[in-house]
Amino acid sequence: MRPEMGAQGPVLRLDGITKRFGALVANDAISVTLWPGEVIALLGENGAGKTTLMNILFGHYTADEGSVEVFGAPLPQGNPRAALAAGVGMVHQHFTLADNLTVLENVILGTQPLWGARLDMAGARAKLARLAEDFGLAVDPDARLGTLSVGERQRVEILKALYRDARILILDEPTAVLTPQQAEALFAALRKMVAQGLSIIFISHKLHEVMAIASRVVVLRHGKLVGEVAVADTNPGALAEMMVGARITPPELRAAAPGATLLELRTVSTPDRGTARGLRKVDLALREGTITGLAGVSGNGQGALADLIAGLEHLSGGEMLVHGAEPVTWSVAHALNAGIGRIPEDRHKTGTIADFSLTENAILERYRRPPFARRGWMDWGAARGFTDTVIRSYDVRCPGPETRIRLLSGGNMQKLILGRAMEGAPKIILANQPVRGLDIGAITFVQTQLLAARDQGAAVLLISEDLDEILTLSDIIHVISEGRLSPPFARGTMSAADLGRWMAGEGFERGQDAA
Amino acid sequence: MRLELIARPSPLRLIGFPMLALALTVVFGSSLALLAGANPFQTLGLILRGAAGSQFALLETLNRATPLIFTGLAVAVAFRAKLWNIGAEAQLYAGALMAVLIGTGALGWPSGLLLPAMAGAAMLAGALVLLGPALLKTRFGVDEVVTTLLFNFIMLLFISMLLEGPLKDPMGMGWPQSSRLIPEARLPRIVEGLRLHWGFALALIAAGVVWVIQSRTTLGYEMRAVGANRQAAEFAGIPVGRVMLKTALLSGGLAALAGFSEVAGLKGNLTLDLSPGFGYTGIIVAMLALLNPIGVVVSAIFVAGVFVGADSMSRAAGVPTYIANIMLATALLTMVLAIALTRYRVRWD
């Protein structure tokens, strides 16, 4: 459904863009054309060059070769203001809004003359209202941003771009923080924009969304443009293959054999920590040979639950049973002694120490115990031996155990963390966002390992914001919303839309709110 | 402008940039000498000769380096764990105070017992001085930069009070100074006839011990982990608060040894000018050494050499000794930059 080209030329032309970082070619002669009133999806794995390309368009980087044309006029490179002035707006994955300002103030921030005596608030308000009306992006202009939900903040971010008269909108992974229903509402707004002649570049790696919103898909792999197809002529499987460059075999799934309950929470509550929400009377049972998936929009108490099981958080109510008994005290050491393998949410901030070697990182959770230490003295030989084993068994690609871990890719870093967590054959596994940001090869590896652990009788708690991942891997699914936990749902009984309603807070008993 | 991490820096890079920093320091120092009306080549020669041109000069430099090694180690140990101990000066005086309290005749023990007792008491006192700020940090989140810095003034005034009162030397003709140590409480010279006392050897041993602790013990591993990534250390179950306190004890104890060694090895009594800012200079020493304990020895000798050399040059050429401070500041700034440049490449885009 390519729009009529008619008298109008393309709104945007990237022509032969090449960008090198040292030996790495991040963008290799990429040409993309965007026509008025169309949505194209930019698809690719992490590190495929999507972000680099958009950063060149937006003036954050200068291309080594190639040129950018907006509405037929060449765009001077290396100047974000030029892109904005030419009508290119970008909605970043991480919002660039000020919490202590109102919606209206956020939107006009930077658009008014610096030395003007007063702000033209009335005019701005009218313009914002008109935009919100036109595109169905309703939001209270006087609300403080800090009080808004993530979905509303995203609307503000989009309005901000539209307010600057953007005719080309770039959205970087816009649905990562939304429930399926919120994503649908976003798509409806995007369709209205397109109907009014705006053009949109939609960056994503979620295939069904790409299929739903885009008319054309541009696929990048290792910095090269490997394919450009109309959505009507393709399917998710073909796109995935194009993205990865190989046939994808999803991890093999055997029937679950649930056994005894290894970890149980009974009406457990935990305190709120600043803006991080605690748990509200949560009931949860992790059973042998089962993957329990936890779905939910980020920031709804996943952190508290993960911290509790990892030994970093304490109960403020209810009881927790580990291997059938209530621990007298609870700490990281107790969690490790109870055989809990832990994969933390953020591998850079909490999972590893960037300036430590692989060896020093591999023993982080057991450095005090033999064979790694005796009476306070480290045995680095034993530590290196252990690290070598992990490197080999978990296929960690690295120059050697003495390499500083910051030089490893995210996938290899995660494999080391996985190896560290799994080496003691843990009975309970906490996997918090275990594949976020990894490429498909690493994703498959990590998921296969988790499934293998389940088949050998481990109880796995899988926390993820990716519903597809939850639906594929979990035998039991819970949804978490505002610290409350839904009842358990068995595999196959819930659709993504069903889960989405729970994620939005529907279905929870009123009584739970009072807690 | 961005910084790009270099995976394997070339040897040229590793040596070239620090050398360039040193050259810049010399050029800058020389141009200041020129401004002061002296011949810069002559000035430079005088500094070198004054710092290392004779046996006497060299031993003087090593003597001056001794307290700097201790305070440098104290700072290096603390900074490695991201405990910002700016109070080595106070801990130094706490150590000196203990040396004087025990060594002026209170205990009539032979040297073999008395000196270890003095050193031990000094370390204990220095450790306790830093324990306070460390507890305030781990318990209440009070910024230790402020508390340790302010403690320097409290300690100096406290010592001043003692020297005007209970500790005042009755034979001191009214000067604010303590009585002199008994002969058994003095650190002997390493070689008879040469002006270098055992404090220097003790400093070398301390550097070796710190190196072993950091690289071979669980405590050292914990201290490095807490400093490199506190959040990851917490997640791994490292008791961050307790590690901080242990670090404080070690750091305070090391700084106190500087006071003990100055009193017992060099001065023989306690005065208010015992330390011309050894505690603060220890920060420069530690930073120049990239917090490496063996590097601390080298950088302490370098820093001491600049001071001793500049003193002697100042006497001979009439250029103010402030030039030493300026040269050290320049050396620190250029060296920190140079070390960053050995690891990162600057990209202009």
PDB file of all heavy atoms in Angstrom, chain A residues 386-399:
ATOM      1  N   PHE A 386      37.679 -22.676  37.932  1.00  0.00           N
ATOM      2  CA  PHE A 386      36.225 -22.593  37.910  1.00  0.00           C
ATOM      3  C   PHE A 386      35.761 -21.742  36.729  1.00  0.00           C
ATOM      4  O   PHE A 386      34.831 -22.111  35.998  1.00  0.00           O
ATOM      5  CB  PHE A 386      35.744 -21.988  39.233  1.00  0.00           C
ATOM      6  CG  PHE A 386      34.286 -21.629  39.251  1.00  0.00           C
ATOM      7  CD1 PHE A 386      33.315 -22.624  39.345  1.00  0.00           C
ATOM      8  CD2 PHE A 386      33.873 -20.307  39.187  1.00  0.00           C
ATOM      9  CE1 PHE A 386      31.972 -22.301  39.367  1.00  0.00           C
ATOM     10  CE2 PHE A 386      32.533 -19.986  39.206  1.00  0.00           C
ATOM     11  CZ  PHE A 386      31.574 -20.982  39.292  1.00  0.00           C
ATOM     12  N   THR A 387      36.446 -20.602  36.534  1.00  0.00           N
ATOM     13  CA  THR A 387      36.055 -19.702  35.444  1.00  0.00           C
ATOM     14  C   THR A 387      36.232 -20.376  34.091  1.00  0.00           C
ATOM     15  O   THR A 387      35.384 -20.255  33.215  1.00  0.00           O
ATOM     16  CB  THR A 387      36.892 -18.418  35.508  1.00  0.00           C
ATOM     17  OG1 THR A 387      36.866 -17.925  36.836  1.00  0.00           O
ATOM     18  CG2 THR A 387      36.332 -17.367  34.574  1.00  0.00           C
ATOM     19  N   ASP A 388      37.335 -21.127  33.954  1.00  0.00           N
ATOM     20  CA  ASP A 388      37.549 -21.857  32.703  1.00  0.00           C
ATOM     21  C   ASP A 388      36.388 -22.809  32.433  1.00  0.00           C
ATOM     22  O   ASP A 388      35.917 -22.925  31.305  1.00  0.00           O
ATOM     23  CB  ASP A 388      38.870 -22.642  32.768  1.00  0.00           C
ATOM     24  CG  ASP A 388      40.050 -21.760  32.397  1.00  0.00           C
ATOM     25  OD1 ASP A 388      39.867 -20.858  31.556  1.00  0.00           O
ATOM     26  OD2 ASP A 388      41.150 -21.967  32.948  1.00  0.00           O
ATOM     27  N   THR A 389      35.938 -23.493  33.493  1.00  0.00           N
ATOM     28  CA  THR A 389      34.811 -24.418  33.337  1.00  0.00           C
ATOM     29  C   THR A 389      33.570 -23.680  32.858  1.00  0.00           C
ATOM     30  O   THR A 389      32.886 -24.115  31.925  1.00  0.00           O
ATOM     31  CB  THR A 389      34.480 -25.090  34.690  1.00  0.00           C
ATOM     32  OG1 THR A 389      35.699 -25.468  35.298  1.00  0.00           O
ATOM     33  CG2 THR A 389      33.592 -26.290  34.485  1.00  0.00           C
ATOM     34  N   VAL A 390      33.282 -22.553  33.501  1.00  0.00           N
ATOM     35  CA  VAL A 390      32.089 -21.784  33.114  1.00  0.00           C
ATOM     36  C   VAL A 390      32.224 -21.322  31.664  1.00  0.00           C
ATOM     37  O   VAL A 390      31.281 -21.423  30.875  1.00  0.00           O
ATOM     38  CB  VAL A 390      31.889 -20.582  34.054  1.00  0.00           C
ATOM     39  CG1 VAL A 390      30.777 -19.673  33.541  1.00  0.00           C
ATOM     40  CG2 VAL A 390      31.577 -21.052  35.463  1.00  0.00           C
ATOM     41  N   ILE A 391      33.412 -20.819  31.321  1.00  0.00           N
ATOM     42  CA  ILE A 391      33.624 -20.313  29.964  1.00  0.00           C
ATOM     43  C   ILE A 391      33.353 -21.418  28.944  1.00  0.00           C
ATOM     44  O   ILE A 391      32.687 -21.207  27.939  1.00  0.00           O
ATOM     45  CB  ILE A 391      35.067 -19.771  29.813  1.00  0.00           C
ATOM     46  CG1 ILE A 391      35.216 -18.464  30.592  1.00  0.00           C
ATOM     47  CG2 ILE A 391      35.420 -19.562  28.353  1.00  0.00           C
ATOM     48  CD1 ILE A 391      36.632 -17.936  30.636  1.00  0.00           C
ATOM     49  N   ARG A 392      33.849 -22.627  29.255  1.00  0.00           N
ATOM     50  CA  ARG A 392      33.654 -23.730  28.317  1.00  0.00           C
ATOM     51  C   ARG A 392      32.211 -24.221  28.313  1.00  0.00           C
ATOM     52  O   ARG A 392      31.595 -24.352  27.263  1.00  0.00           O
ATOM     53  CB  ARG A 392      34.614 -24.883  28.644  1.00  0.00           C
ATOM     54  CG  ARG A 392      35.687 -25.056  27.576  1.00  0.00           C
ATOM     55  CD  ARG A 392      36.665 -26.159  27.915  1.00  0.00           C
ATOM     56  NE  ARG A 392      37.497 -25.824  29.067  1.00  0.00           N
ATOM     57  CZ  ARG A 392      37.485 -26.477  30.227  1.00  0.00           C
ATOM     58  NH1 ARG A 392      36.698 -27.521  30.399  1.00  0.00           N
ATOM     59  NH2 ARG A 392      38.272 -26.103  31.210  1.00  0.00           N
ATOM     60  N   SER A 393      31.625 -24.458  29.492  1.00  0.00           N
ATOM     61  CA  SER A 393      30.280 -25.046  29.516  1.00  0.00           C
ATOM     62  C   SER A 393      29.221 -24.074  29.016  1.00  0.00           C
ATOM     63  O   SER A 393      28.184 -24.499  28.539  1.00  0.00           O
ATOM     64  CB  SER A 393      29.890 -25.490  30.922  1.00  0.00           C
ATOM     65  OG  SER A 393      30.992 -25.774  31.691  1.00  0.00           O
ATOM     66  N   TYR A 394      29.450 -22.792  29.168  1.00  0.00           N
ATOM     67  CA  TYR A 394      28.409 -21.840  28.785  1.00  0.00           C
ATOM     68  C   TYR A 394      28.812 -21.032  27.548  1.00  0.00           C
ATOM     69  O   TYR A 394      28.178 -20.034  27.242  1.00  0.00           O
ATOM     70  CB  TYR A 394      28.040 -20.943  29.970  1.00  0.00           C
ATOM     71  CG  TYR A 394      27.327 -21.734  31.038  1.00  0.00           C
ATOM     72  CD1 TYR A 394      28.041 -22.420  31.998  1.00  0.00           C
ATOM     73  CD2 TYR A 394      25.939 -21.850  31.028  1.00  0.00           C
ATOM     74  CE1 TYR A 394      27.403 -23.197  32.943  1.00  0.00           C
ATOM     75  CE2 TYR A 394      25.288 -22.620  31.963  1.00  0.00           C
ATOM     76  CZ  TYR A 394      26.028 -23.297  32.927  1.00  0.00           C
ATOM     77  OH  TYR A 394      25.372 -24.064  33.849  1.00  0.00           O
ATOM     78  N   ASP A 395      29.846 -21.480  26.876  1.00  0.00           N
ATOM     79  CA  ASP A 395      30.198 -20.898  25.584  1.00  0.00           C
ATOM     80  C   ASP A 395      30.381 -19.384  25.681  1.00  0.00           C
ATOM     81  O   ASP A 395      29.831 -18.616  24.894  1.00  0.00           O
ATOM     82  CB  ASP A 395      29.108 -21.255  24.559  1.00  0.00           C
ATOM     83  CG  ASP A 395      29.512 -20.835  23.155  1.00  0.00           C
ATOM     84  OD1 ASP A 395      30.718 -20.862  22.868  1.00  0.00           O
ATOM     85  OD2 ASP A 395      28.609 -20.488  22.367  1.00  0.00           O
ATOM     86  N   VAL A 396      31.140 -18.940  26.676  1.00  0.00           N
ATOM     87  CA  VAL A 396      31.420 -17.511  26.817  1.00  0.00           C
ATOM     88  C   VAL A 396      32.565 -17.164  25.879  1.00  0.00           C
ATOM     89  O   VAL A 396      33.669 -17.690  26.033  1.00  0.00           O
ATOM     90  CB  VAL A 396      31.822 -17.164  28.270  1.00  0.00           C
ATOM     91  CG1 VAL A 396      32.030 -15.669  28.410  1.00  0.00           C
ATOM     92  CG2 VAL A 396      30.770 -17.650  29.248  1.00  0.00           C
ATOM     93  N   ARG A 397      32.298 -16.345  24.876  1.00  0.00           N
ATOM     94  CA  ARG A 397      33.359 -15.973  23.929  1.00  0.00           C
ATOM     95  C   ARG A 397      34.189 -14.843  24.528  1.00  0.00           C
ATOM     96  O   ARG A 397      33.672 -13.746  24.741  1.00  0.00           O
ATOM     97  CB  ARG A 397      32.758 -15.510  22.607  1.00  0.00           C
ATOM     98  CG  ARG A 397      31.695 -16.419  22.056  1.00  0.00           C
ATOM     99  CD  ARG A 397      32.303 -17.498  21.141  1.00  0.00           C
ATOM    100  NE  ARG A 397      31.303 -18.517  20.862  1.00  0.00           N
ATOM    101  CZ  ARG A 397      30.374 -18.410  19.902  1.00  0.00           C
ATOM    102  NH1 ARG A 397      30.346 -17.334  19.154  1.00  0.00           N
ATOM    103  NH2 ARG A 397      29.499 -19.369  19.699  1.00  0.00           N
ATOM    104  N   CYS A 398      35.464 -15.130  24.818  1.00  0.00           N
ATOM    105  CA  CYS A 398      36.315 -14.115  25.428  1.00  0.00           C
ATOM    106  C   CYS A 398      37.768 -14.484  25.196  1.00  0.00           C
ATOM    107  O   CYS A 398      38.079 -15.638  24.912  1.00  0.00           O
ATOM    108  CB  CYS A 398      36.044 -14.037  26.922  1.00  0.00           C
ATOM    109  SG  CYS A 398      36.487 -15.546  27.779  1.00  0.00           S
ATOM    110  N   PRO A 399      38.679 -13.492  25.283  1.00  0.00           N
ATOM    111  CA  PRO A 399      40.100 -13.796  25.100  1.00  0.00           C
ATOM    112  C   PRO A 399      40.653 -14.688  26.207  1.00  0.00           C
ATOM    113  O   PRO A 399      41.671 -15.337  26.005  1.00  0.00           O
ATOM    114  CB  PRO A 399      40.774 -12.424  25.123  1.00  0.00           C
ATOM    115  CG  PRO A 399      39.681 -11.444  24.860  1.00  0.00           C
ATOM    116  CD  PRO A 399      38.438 -12.051  25.415  1.00  0.00           C
TER     117      PRO A 399
END
